[in-house]
Amino acid sequence: MEKVAGYVEHIIYRNADNGYTVFELAADGEEVTCVGTFQMIDEGESLELSGGYVEHAVYGSQFRVEQYKQVELEDERSIERYLGSGAIRGVGPSLAARIVKKFGKDTFRIMEEEPERLAEVKGISDRSARQISEQVEEKKGMREAMLYLQKFGISNTLAVKIYKTYEMELYHILEENPYRLAEDIDGIGFRRADELASRIGIHTDSDFRIRSGILYTMQLAAMDGHTYLPRQLLVTKAAQLLGLAEEYVDIQIPNLAMDKKLVLKQEGEETCVYAASYYYTELSCASLLRELNVNMVFGDELLPSEEEKVMAQIRRLAESAGIELEELQQRAVLECIKHGLMILTGGPGTGKTTTINTIIRYFAAEDMDILLAAPTGRAAKRMTEATGYEARTIHRLLELSGRPEEGENGLSAASPARFERNEENPLEADVVIVDEMSMVDIHLFCALLKAVTPGTRLVLVGDVNQLPSVGPGQVLRDLIRSGAFPVVELKKIFRQAGGSDIVLNAHKINEGQDIALDNKSRDFFFLERENVQVIYKHMILLIREKLPRYVQAGPLDIQVLTPMRKGNLGVETLNQILQEYLNPKSPSKKEHQMPSALFREGDKVMQTKNNYQLEWEVVSKYGIPVDRGVGIFNGDMGILKQIDDYAQTVVVEFDEHRQVTYSFEQLSELELAYAITIHKSQGSEYPAVIMPLLGGPRMLFNRNLLYTGVTRAKNCVTILGSSQVVREMIANESEAKRYTGLCVRIREIMAQ
């Protein structure tokens, strides 16, 4: 077995799931490409590797690592890396190398005690020597901290963050409780802190480790949509994560509750454990809802004669607009007039938009100020087109600005971003109407409620049978379940009359009824295909040739929706295949390779996380900015317009011509979007949808998911795959249960 020693110069690729890593090792002046499985390594870390050289067909010679160990940093190399890291202004890697070559291990002593001697190094004047010396003295604490942290494999960038957070206290914190780093510093999660703790020698049954592991488990639960976990489930999951017996975990839960990091609530036989921020967010929502839920008519109720008078007015308004409202639609408008808060729900084609339009006309006739909003840019655009009134995203309505607020314990804060519209500066409106409420998570809902004053009518519209929000909570479902507010559910299907089998089949799916897969429809097609390669071929044919003409749209407007990320028909594989055919390689298109994907000019891409700080601008045809703002959100889709290798940036144009410049480092927030998961498609509508369905996990392949996918199509749905799988999905009612407490909080508040 051969041995190689050096330091990690550059990490090319790392699989976070299994630790498989490809990196460049600087060893005796040479760069060696190394591959292997590593727990956690950072650029700058010194390693001794055991293994052997192999020849890769594409990437050439590589050192395959069988075993590895960390080694103490060589002093001179450490000094050189520190000086060349950018910590000292005016000193780059080449100058750092010359300084260390001249003075060796004595470099820092020379800088501190005889700074004039730096002028002996080529390229350093007397003045530069003084300036370098002053900086070295100023940053002595930081330098020592960085050299100390390098021993634990912490990169210079993270080391600077740690030092700036704790300064000289960092030594004590690392020795006593390195898990504080996971709470206080962005970029260091539980797993990294745990790795660091093991290197320092912290015991696996340390109280600090167990508490941090519990909070991390709550964080993971929030990413799955939960706002709490039953105590036993939390204990089981945290014990698995930590590799400890459950009793070690259980005993720490009351301690975290005493520290106000968790909240315990007894509900029947079950103890519910909340991260404190989520509990108080739900409680705040419940309290604000009670304030908004007021009667808006004199004497708390309309007299029968007065009610009939209002109903007659509603009917006249509808007639003048050439609309015929059924009884429930009229009732919905009446409830909006009578109450401060009203919920309108119903499936596709049941007349929600017609009802909203009538509500708008009624209040506009009363000379009231009306604001419309939806969770995503696409949903807001659809709302604008359907009503003729400008609709904005909820984030823009609330005037998002600035940095997100830091949450405690690494958990999201109750308000994950700062909005200019809030309790002190509420929305100036008489009526606020919000569509696609099924997509709104608990944080965004709380921010919205804070900006609406009692006396303003709030109308919440959505389809409760859609998939729940990507973020934590199931707000619309909990509001309806609470029974505390007026709810009108529209059931009569109107769009069916226009011959839409999309709408008809969506309702059949929702009711658990079989759908016709005989291709006699004009907008709902099914192609029985059992072979994955054949599915690929038909998918490309449909997108490139057949569907654009049929639905009068471009190939990039046609959306492939799939339940899964992994597998032959998952997002990751489909995007590679579709990119090759829809946006092929060309000398005229620049490319940039990321570990996760190859990006090419012209690619269809999607933002994968909320970024409240990303700046966007709308530019006129003359290149003059005409609008600016901040915030690009999870699920926003756009086209990659430009790659600039020199500036190391890419430009993406999103809906409404919003252009965003990403640095190469930020590209991890983007992914190809020729195919996306059905979850990510919520709130969007596409001219045509293609769904490959050939089987997968039962929990994913359910009725709810199929219903959501079908209802995303405006003009045409095509399913490629197995009719048996489609029928099994319709029959499968199982949904991943979400643990949320908003319904209970509302009932508690209303009972007071």
Side-chain angles (χ1 to χ4, degrees):
M1 203 177 282
E2 295 178 78
K3 288 192 176 180
V4 179
Y7 69 92
V8 180
E9 189 165 66
H10 173 55
I11 293 176
I12 299 167
Y13 172 76
R14 179 170 174 81
N15 185 321
D17 294 332
N18 59 20
Y20 179 77
T21 309
V22 183
F23 62 92
E24 297 288 351
L25 187 82
D28 297 327
E30 292 184 7
E31 282 189 0
V32 181
T33 303
C34 303
V35 297
T37 302
F38 297 80
Q39 279 188 315
M40 183 76 72
I41 58 167
D42 261 317
E43 290 178 1
E45 192 166 337
S46 290
L47 301 173
E48 185 179 283
L49 311 174
S50 303
Y53 285 95
V54 294
E55 198 68 28
H56 191 281
V58 178
Y59 302 111
S61 178
Q62 296 180 334
F63 190 81
R64 184 172 287 161
V65 181
E66 302 293 337
Q67 296 173 331
Y68 74 98
K69 65 177 183 181
Q70 285 179 286
V71 294
E72 283 296 311
L73 294 159
E74 297 170 30
D75 286 345
E76 287 185 26
R77 188 178 289 160
S78 300
I79 295 166
E80 185 181 324
R81 277 165 47 210
Y82 170 75
L83 290 174
S85 69
I88 308 295
R89 278 193 316 279
V91 179
S94 59
L95 186 56
R98 291 203 298 276
I99 295 170
V100 175
K101 189 176 179 182
K102 174 78 178 172
F103 301 115
K105 294 177 183 178
D106 226 16
T107 297
F108 284 138
R109 188 193 66 76
I110 296 285
M111 285 179 160
E112 288 165 9
E113 297 174 12
E114 304 174 70
E116 66 281 356
R117 288 191 60 193
L118 286 171
E120 295 172 22
V121 177
K122 188 180 175 184
I124 299 180
S125 64
D126 290 342
R127 185 182 170 195
S128 296
R130 282 195 304 278
Q131 288 173 340
I132 291 169
S133 174
E134 284 166 9
Q135 285 188 73
V136 167
E137 187 58 38
E138 281 172 23
K139 296 183 178 181
K140 189 175 179 180
M142 185 185 287
R143 184 186 81 225
E144 288 172 354
M146 286 174 78
L147 293 175
Y148 172 75
L149 291 168
Q150 277 182 14
K151 294 177 184 175
F152 302 110
I154 292 174
S155 67
N156 286 338
T157 309
L158 270 181
V160 170
K161 275 190 185 179
I162 294 168
Y163 180 77
K164 284 181 176 175
T165 304
Y166 302 124
E167 294 188 336
M168 298 314 290
E169 201 187 348
L170 76 88
Y171 302 100
H172 170 69
I173 288 167
L174 281 173
E175 285 169 20
E176 186 190 47
N177 178 17
Y179 294 96
R180 271 192 59 185
L181 274 67
E183 299 180 26
D184 300 337
I185 296 168
D186 188 33
I188 299 183
F190 169 78
R191 293 191 185 279
R192 194 152 199 172
D194 200 36
E195 174 72 17
L196 184 60
S198 76
R199 291 179 180 181
I200 291 167
I202 303 288
H203 289 291
T204 56
D205 62 354
S206 149
D207 288 357
F208 295 125
R209 179 172 185 260
I210 296 167
R211 291 181 194 187
S212 185
I214 292 168
L215 293 173
Y216 180 61
T217 305
M218 293 301 296
Q219 200 176 347
L220 293 176
M223 288 166 70
D224 288 334
H226 309 296
T227 59
Y228 77 87
L229 284 180
R231 181 167 178 166
Q232 187 51 54
L233 182 60
L234 169 60
V235 168
T236 302
K237 283 180 175 286
Q240 286 170 349
L241 170 80
L242 296 163
L244 295 171
E246 290 188 1
E247 55 262 32
Y248 286 100
V249 174
D250 195 53
I251 201 168
Q252 293 296 341
I253 289 174
N255 296 334
L256 283 165
M258 285 175 68
D259 291 344
K260 297 190 167 57
K261 290 180 178 178
L262 296 179
V263 173
L264 307 185
K265 292 290 289 183
Q266 195 66 35
E267 289 167 21
E269 299 287 304
E270 193 171 73
T271 304
C272 304
V273 184
Y274 293 80
S277 64
Y278 286 99
Y279 175 77
Y280 289 112
T281 300
E282 287 189 343
L283 195 62
S284 179
C285 283
S287 182
L288 291 162
L289 284 163
R290 181 177 63 180
E291 289 176 21
L292 293 172
N293 187 37
V294 294
N295 283 311
M296 303 298 274
V297 295
F298 185 73
D300 288 349
E301 198 56 61
L302 286 172
L303 293 169
S305 59
E306 293 172 321
E307 189 164 304
E308 183 47 47
K309 204 170 163 183
V310 173
M311 290 292 267
Q313 193 178 346
I314 294 167
R315 285 192 289 272
R316 279 198 303 275
L317 268 173
E319 283 165 21
S320 66
I323 298 167
E324 191 176 334
L325 296 180
E326 58 112 2
E327 191 182 335
L328 275 173
Q329 291 175 302
Q330 295 176 33
R331 173 60 52 184
V333 181
L334 181 66
E335 293 297 327
C336 288
I337 296 164
K338 289 165 61 177
H339 299 280
L341 178 65
M342 197 282 266
I343 299 161
L344 176 66
T345 185
T350 54
K352 293 193 298 293
T353 302
T354 304
T355 310
I356 292 170
N357 279 329
T358 310
I359 293 166
I360 292 170
R361 284 195 185 90
Y362 181 91
F363 290 122
E366 297 289 314
D367 209 24
M368 291 187 178
D369 291 324
I370 304 159
L371 292 175
L372 308 185
T376 66
R378 282 176 172 259
K381 190 178 176 185
R382 281 174 57 199
M383 202 179 182
T384 300
E385 289 165 357
T387 63
Y389 275 70
E390 185 198 0
R392 286 172 277 180
T393 64
I394 299 172
H395 290 92
R396 287 198 79 182
L397 185 77
L398 301 179
E399 297 173 19
L400 172 75
S401 71
R403 285 183 58 82
E405 293 173 12
E406 290 291 330
E408 285 188 273
N409 323 317
L411 297 167
S412 301
S415 175
R418 193 173 77 243
F419 295 104
E420 296 300 326
R421 295 289 181 176
N422 48 37
E423 306 96 316
E424 282 101 42
N425 182 27
L427 293 167
E428 293 165 15
D430 302 302
V431 184
V432 178
I433 303 173
V434 184
D435 199 6
E436 295 287 356
M437 271 299 301
S438 62
M439 298 179 66
V440 177
D441 65 29
I442 193 70
H443 295 313
L444 189 57
F445 188 54
C446 191
L448 174 69
L449 293 177
K450 284 177 180 176
V452 180
T453 50
T456 299
R457 288 175 171 84
L458 181 61
V459 183
L460 305 175
V461 186
D463 182 354
V464 78
N465 293 308
Q466 297 281 2
L467 293 167
S469 56
V470 174
Q474 44 185 3
V475 171
L476 183 62
R477 194 177 290 270
D478 278 353
L479 288 174
I480 294 169
R481 274 176 52 211
S482 72
F485 314 107
V487 177
V488 176
E489 183 182 1
L490 302 178
K491 293 179 179 177
K492 185 177 175 182
I493 303 168
F494 291 95
R495 275 194 3 220
Q496 188 185 336
S500 172
D501 286 320
I502 295 173
V503 172
L504 181 63
N505 285 339
H507 285 273
K508 281 185 173 179
I509 291 165
N510 193 39
E511 289 158 16
Q513 299 174 17
D514 266 352
I515 57 174
L517 300 174
D518 54 12
N519 288 332
K520 290 179 180 175
S521 170
R522 286 183 299 174
D523 62 0
F524 198 103
F525 303 105
F526 174 80
L527 301 177
E528 187 85 49
R529 301 289 185 270
E530 298 287 342
N531 183 293
V532 170
Q533 297 299 326
V534 174
I535 289 175
Y536 295 158
K537 186 178 127 187
H538 279 282
M539 194 182 292
I540 291 156
L541 187 68
L542 284 165
I543 297 172
R544 287 172 63 177
E545 296 178 28
K546 294 194 173 180
L547 285 175
R549 291 198 302 271
Y550 194 71
V551 297
Q552 301 296 301
L556 293 184
D557 297 321
I558 294 158
Q559 191 60 56
V560 176
L561 302 180
T562 176
M564 305 170 296
R565 290 199 60 81
K566 306 285 184 186
N568 290 332
L569 294 175
V571 164
E572 293 171 7
T573 303
L574 287 175
N575 271 320
Q576 287 181 16
I577 293 165
L578 293 170
Q579 181 190 44
E580 188 181 333
Y581 286 93
L582 300 180
N583 187 32
K585 191 177 179 71
S586 162
S588 64
K589 297 174 187 173
K590 290 183 183 172
E591 297 178 352
H592 180 70
Q593 181 68 59
M594 292 285 291
S596 57
L598 171 74
F599 289 110
R600 183 177 293 140
E601 287 176 344
D603 274 337
K604 186 178 176 181
V605 295
M606 179 172 64
Q607 177 79 9
T608 60
K609 61 181 280 192
N610 289 341
N611 188 326
Y612 302 97
Q613 292 132 306
L614 267 180
E615 295 178 0
W616 55 261
E617 61 180 22
V618 178
V619 181
S620 73
K621 63 180 179 180
Y622 302 108
I624 301 164
V626 292
D627 194 11
R628 282 194 175 92
V630 292
I632 298 293
F633 304 106
N634 190 354
D636 284 358
M637 289 170 74
I639 303 295
L640 201 161
K641 292 289 189 181
Q642 185 188 4
I643 296 174
D644 187 331
D645 289 317
Y646 181 75
Q648 296 201 316
T649 58
V650 307
V651 176
V652 177
E653 186 171 296
F654 290 95
D655 290 337
E656 300 165 329
H657 306 293
R658 293 173 300 153
Q659 291 192 1
V660 176
T661 300
Y662 291 80
S663 66
F664 282 180
E665 287 77 29
Q666 290 173 308
L667 286 181
S668 59
E669 295 185 13
L670 290 175
E671 66 181 27
L672 296 174
Y674 300 101
I676 63 172
T677 63
I678 294 171
H679 267 96
K680 292 280 191 184
S681 72
Q682 290 181 93
S684 297
E685 192 175 67
Y686 311 98
V689 160
I690 299 172
M691 284 193 284
L693 300 173
L694 208 53
R698 179 173 163 76
M699 192 53 79
L700 275 180
F701 279 64
N702 59 35
R703 183 187 298 176
N704 200 217
L705 198 86
L706 182 60
Y707 173 82
T708 302
V710 167
T711 55
R712 298 308 88 206
K714 190 175 181 181
N715 300 319
C716 182
V717 169
T718 305
I719 297 174
L720 295 165
S722 161
S723 54
Q724 182 62 28
V725 168
V726 174
R727 291 193 177 97
E728 285 172 1
M729 287 181 79
I730 294 170
N732 181 11
E733 289 186 83
S734 68
E735 288 178 55
K737 180 175 168 59
R738 283 203 172 187
Y739 296 105
T740 62
L742 180 60
C743 176
V744 177
R745 300 288 84 76
I746 291 169
R747 287 173 180 170
E748 286 174 352
I749 288 278
M750 293 300 184
Q752 290 175 10

Short mmCIF file of all heavy atoms in Angstrom, two decimals, residues 144-173:
data_model
loop_
_atom_site.label_atom_id
_atom_site.label_comp_id
_atom_site.label_asym_id
_atom_site.label_seq_id
_atom_site.Cartn_x
_atom_site.Cartn_y
_atom_site.Cartn_z
N GLU A 144 -3.73 33.40 15.58
CA GLU A 144 -3.53 32.28 16.49
C GLU A 144 -4.75 31.34 16.48
O GLU A 144 -4.61 30.12 16.51
CB GLU A 144 -3.25 32.80 17.91
CG GLU A 144 -1.88 33.42 18.04
CD GLU A 144 -1.66 34.12 19.37
OE1 GLU A 144 -2.64 34.22 20.15
OE2 GLU A 144 -0.51 34.56 19.64
N ALA A 145 -5.93 31.98 16.42
CA ALA A 145 -7.16 31.19 16.38
C ALA A 145 -7.24 30.35 15.11
O ALA A 145 -7.60 29.17 15.14
CB ALA A 145 -8.38 32.11 16.48
N MET A 146 -6.88 30.97 13.97
CA MET A 146 -6.94 30.25 12.70
C MET A 146 -5.96 29.08 12.67
O MET A 146 -6.29 27.98 12.22
CB MET A 146 -6.65 31.20 11.54
CG MET A 146 -7.81 32.13 11.25
SD MET A 146 -7.46 33.38 10.00
CE MET A 146 -7.62 32.43 8.51
N LEU A 147 -4.76 29.31 13.19
CA LEU A 147 -3.77 28.23 13.24
C LEU A 147 -4.24 27.11 14.17
O LEU A 147 -4.05 25.92 13.89
CB LEU A 147 -2.41 28.76 13.69
CG LEU A 147 -1.72 29.73 12.70
CD1 LEU A 147 -0.45 30.29 13.29
CD2 LEU A 147 -1.40 29.03 11.38
N TYR A 148 -4.87 27.49 15.27
CA TYR A 148 -5.40 26.51 16.22
C TYR A 148 -6.54 25.70 15.59
O TYR A 148 -6.57 24.48 15.67
CB TYR A 148 -5.91 27.25 17.47
CG TYR A 148 -6.66 26.39 18.47
CD1 TYR A 148 -5.99 25.50 19.29
CD2 TYR A 148 -8.04 26.49 18.58
CE1 TYR A 148 -6.68 24.71 20.20
CE2 TYR A 148 -8.76 25.72 19.48
CZ TYR A 148 -8.08 24.83 20.30
OH TYR A 148 -8.77 24.06 21.19
N LEU A 149 -7.45 26.41 14.89
CA LEU A 149 -8.61 25.74 14.30
C LEU A 149 -8.23 24.86 13.10
O LEU A 149 -8.90 23.89 12.81
CB LEU A 149 -9.66 26.78 13.88
CG LEU A 149 -10.36 27.49 15.05
CD1 LEU A 149 -11.14 28.71 14.55
CD2 LEU A 149 -11.29 26.55 15.80
N GLN A 150 -7.13 25.22 12.42
CA GLN A 150 -6.66 24.39 11.31
C GLN A 150 -6.37 22.97 11.76
O GLN A 150 -6.54 22.02 11.00
CB GLN A 150 -5.40 25.00 10.69
CG GLN A 150 -5.68 26.09 9.67
CD GLN A 150 -4.40 26.61 9.04
OE1 GLN A 150 -3.33 26.01 9.15
NE2 GLN A 150 -4.49 27.74 8.37
N LYS A 151 -5.94 22.81 13.02
CA LYS A 151 -5.63 21.48 13.55
C LYS A 151 -6.85 20.57 13.55
O LYS A 151 -6.74 19.36 13.52
CB LYS A 151 -5.11 21.59 14.99
CG LYS A 151 -3.78 22.29 15.13
CD LYS A 151 -3.40 22.41 16.58
CE LYS A 151 -2.10 23.21 16.76
NZ LYS A 151 -1.78 23.43 18.17
N PHE A 152 -8.04 21.20 13.58
CA PHE A 152 -9.28 20.42 13.61
C PHE A 152 -9.95 20.37 12.24
O PHE A 152 -11.12 20.04 12.11
CB PHE A 152 -10.24 21.01 14.65
CG PHE A 152 -9.67 21.06 16.03
CD1 PHE A 152 -9.34 22.27 16.62
CD2 PHE A 152 -9.41 19.89 16.74
CE1 PHE A 152 -8.81 22.31 17.89
CE2 PHE A 152 -8.87 19.93 18.01
CZ PHE A 152 -8.56 21.14 18.59
N GLY A 153 -9.17 20.75 11.21
CA GLY A 153 -9.70 20.65 9.85
C GLY A 153 -10.70 21.73 9.49
O GLY A 153 -11.52 21.54 8.59
N ILE A 154 -10.67 22.87 10.19
CA ILE A 154 -11.61 23.95 9.90
C ILE A 154 -10.97 24.90 8.90
O ILE A 154 -9.85 25.36 9.10
CB ILE A 154 -12.02 24.67 11.20
CG1 ILE A 154 -12.87 23.73 12.05
CG2 ILE A 154 -12.80 25.95 10.90
CD1 ILE A 154 -13.24 24.25 13.40
N SER A 155 -11.70 25.19 7.83
CA SER A 155 -11.17 26.06 6.78
C SER A 155 -10.97 27.48 7.30
O SER A 155 -11.58 27.89 8.30
CB SER A 155 -12.12 26.09 5.58
OG SER A 155 -13.33 26.75 5.95
N ASN A 156 -10.13 28.24 6.59
CA ASN A 156 -9.87 29.62 7.01
C ASN A 156 -11.14 30.47 7.05
O ASN A 156 -11.33 31.29 7.93
CB ASN A 156 -8.85 30.25 6.06
CG ASN A 156 -7.45 29.71 6.30
OD1 ASN A 156 -7.15 29.21 7.38
ND2 ASN A 156 -6.59 29.81 5.30
N THR A 157 -12.01 30.27 6.05
CA THR A 157 -13.25 31.07 5.99
C THR A 157 -14.10 30.87 7.24
O THR A 157 -14.57 31.83 7.86
CB THR A 157 -14.06 30.69 4.73
OG1 THR A 157 -13.21 30.73 3.60
CG2 THR A 157 -15.24 31.60 4.53
N LEU A 158 -14.29 29.58 7.60
CA LEU A 158 -15.08 29.29 8.80
C LEU A 158 -14.35 29.75 10.06
O LEU A 158 -14.98 30.22 11.01
CB LEU A 158 -15.38 27.79 8.89
CG LEU A 158 -16.66 27.31 8.21
CD1 LEU A 158 -16.83 25.82 8.40
CD2 LEU A 158 -17.90 28.02 8.75
N ALA A 159 -13.03 29.61 10.05
CA ALA A 159 -12.25 30.02 11.22
C ALA A 159 -12.44 31.51 11.51
O ALA A 159 -12.57 31.92 12.67
CB ALA A 159 -10.77 29.71 11.00
N VAL A 160 -12.47 32.33 10.44
CA VAL A 160 -12.70 33.77 10.61
C VAL A 160 -14.07 34.03 11.23
O VAL A 160 -14.22 34.83 12.15
CB VAL A 160 -12.54 34.51 9.26
CG1 VAL A 160 -13.02 35.95 9.37
CG2 VAL A 160 -11.10 34.46 8.79
N LYS A 161 -15.10 33.30 10.72
CA LYS A 161 -16.46 33.43 11.27
C LYS A 161 -16.48 33.10 12.76
O LYS A 161 -17.09 33.79 13.56
CB LYS A 161 -17.43 32.49 10.55
CG LYS A 161 -18.02 33.03 9.27
CD LYS A 161 -19.14 32.10 8.81
CE LYS A 161 -19.71 32.50 7.48
NZ LYS A 161 -20.78 31.56 7.04
N ILE A 162 -15.81 31.99 13.12
CA ILE A 162 -15.78 31.54 14.52
C ILE A 162 -15.10 32.59 15.39
O ILE A 162 -15.59 32.95 16.45
CB ILE A 162 -15.08 30.17 14.64
CG1 ILE A 162 -15.91 29.09 13.92
CG2 ILE A 162 -14.88 29.78 16.09
CD1 ILE A 162 -15.18 27.77 13.73
N TYR A 163 -13.96 33.09 14.92
CA TYR A 163 -13.21 34.08 15.70
C TYR A 163 -14.03 35.36 15.90
O TYR A 163 -14.08 35.93 16.99
CB TYR A 163 -11.87 34.40 15.04
CG TYR A 163 -11.06 35.41 15.82
CD1 TYR A 163 -10.38 35.04 16.98
CD2 TYR A 163 -11.02 36.75 15.43
CE1 TYR A 163 -9.67 35.97 17.73
CE2 TYR A 163 -10.31 37.69 16.16
CZ TYR A 163 -9.65 37.29 17.31
OH TYR A 163 -8.96 38.22 18.05
N LYS A 164 -14.66 35.82 14.82
CA LYS A 164 -15.45 37.06 14.92
C LYS A 164 -16.64 36.90 15.87
O LYS A 164 -17.06 37.86 16.50
CB LYS A 164 -15.93 37.48 13.53
CG LYS A 164 -14.84 38.11 12.67
CD LYS A 164 -15.38 38.54 11.32
CE LYS A 164 -14.29 39.26 10.50
NZ LYS A 164 -14.76 39.60 9.13
N THR A 165 -17.17 35.68 15.97
CA THR A 165 -18.31 35.43 16.86
C THR A 165 -17.88 35.38 18.32
O THR A 165 -18.52 35.96 19.19
CB THR A 165 -19.01 34.10 16.48
OG1 THR A 165 -19.38 34.15 15.10
CG2 THR A 165 -20.24 33.86 17.33
N TYR A 166 -16.78 34.69 18.59
CA TYR A 166 -16.41 34.43 20.00
C TYR A 166 -15.15 35.16 20.45
O TYR A 166 -14.92 35.26 21.67
CB TYR A 166 -16.18 32.92 20.21
CG TYR A 166 -17.36 32.05 19.88
CD1 TYR A 166 -17.23 31.01 18.96
CD2 TYR A 166 -18.60 32.25 20.48
CE1 TYR A 166 -18.31 30.19 18.66
CE2 TYR A 166 -19.69 31.43 20.17
CZ TYR A 166 -19.52 30.41 19.25
OH TYR A 166 -20.59 29.60 18.95
N GLU A 167 -14.31 35.59 19.51
CA GLU A 167 -12.99 36.16 19.80
C GLU A 167 -12.20 35.21 20.72
O GLU A 167 -12.18 34.01 20.48
CB GLU A 167 -13.12 37.58 20.36
CG GLU A 167 -13.69 38.52 19.27
CD GLU A 167 -13.69 39.95 19.64
OE1 GLU A 167 -13.68 40.28 20.83
OE2 GLU A 167 -13.72 40.79 18.70
N MET A 168 -11.62 35.73 21.80
CA MET A 168 -10.73 34.89 22.59
C MET A 168 -11.46 33.84 23.43
O MET A 168 -10.84 32.94 24.00
CB MET A 168 -9.86 35.77 23.50
CG MET A 168 -8.95 36.72 22.74
SD MET A 168 -8.05 35.97 21.32
CE MET A 168 -6.90 34.93 22.20
N GLU A 169 -12.79 33.95 23.49
CA GLU A 169 -13.58 32.97 24.25
C GLU A 169 -13.68 31.63 23.51
O GLU A 169 -14.10 30.62 24.07
CB GLU A 169 -14.99 33.53 24.50
CG GLU A 169 -15.72 32.88 25.65
CD GLU A 169 -17.16 33.33 25.77
OE1 GLU A 169 -17.55 34.33 25.10
OE2 GLU A 169 -17.91 32.69 26.53
N LEU A 170 -13.28 31.61 22.23
CA LEU A 170 -13.49 30.41 21.42
C LEU A 170 -12.76 29.19 21.98
O LEU A 170 -13.26 28.06 21.87
CB LEU A 170 -13.09 30.67 19.96
CG LEU A 170 -11.61 30.71 19.57
CD1 LEU A 170 -11.10 29.33 19.22
CD2 LEU A 170 -11.46 31.61 18.35
N TYR A 171 -11.59 29.38 22.62
CA TYR A 171 -10.85 28.23 23.15
C TYR A 171 -11.64 27.53 24.24
O TYR A 171 -11.74 26.30 24.27
CB TYR A 171 -9.48 28.67 23.68
CG TYR A 171 -8.64 29.36 22.62
CD1 TYR A 171 -8.55 30.75 22.58
CD2 TYR A 171 -7.97 28.62 21.65
CE1 TYR A 171 -7.80 31.39 21.61
CE2 TYR A 171 -7.20 29.25 20.66
CZ TYR A 171 -7.13 30.63 20.64
OH TYR A 171 -6.39 31.25 19.67
N HIS A 172 -12.21 28.32 25.13
CA HIS A 172 -13.02 27.77 26.22
C HIS A 172 -14.27 27.06 25.68
O HIS A 172 -14.61 25.96 26.10
CB HIS A 172 -13.41 28.90 27.18
CG HIS A 172 -14.42 28.50 28.21
ND1 HIS A 172 -14.11 27.62 29.23
CD2 HIS A 172 -15.75 28.81 28.33
CE1 HIS A 172 -15.22 27.43 29.96
NE2 HIS A 172 -16.22 28.13 29.43
N ILE A 173 -14.92 27.70 24.69
CA ILE A 173 -16.14 27.13 24.11
C ILE A 173 -15.86 25.80 23.43
O ILE A 173 -16.58 24.82 23.60
CB ILE A 173 -16.80 28.14 23.14
CG1 ILE A 173 -17.42 29.30 23.94
CG2 ILE A 173 -17.86 27.47 22.25
CD1 ILE A 173 -17.80 30.49 23.10
#
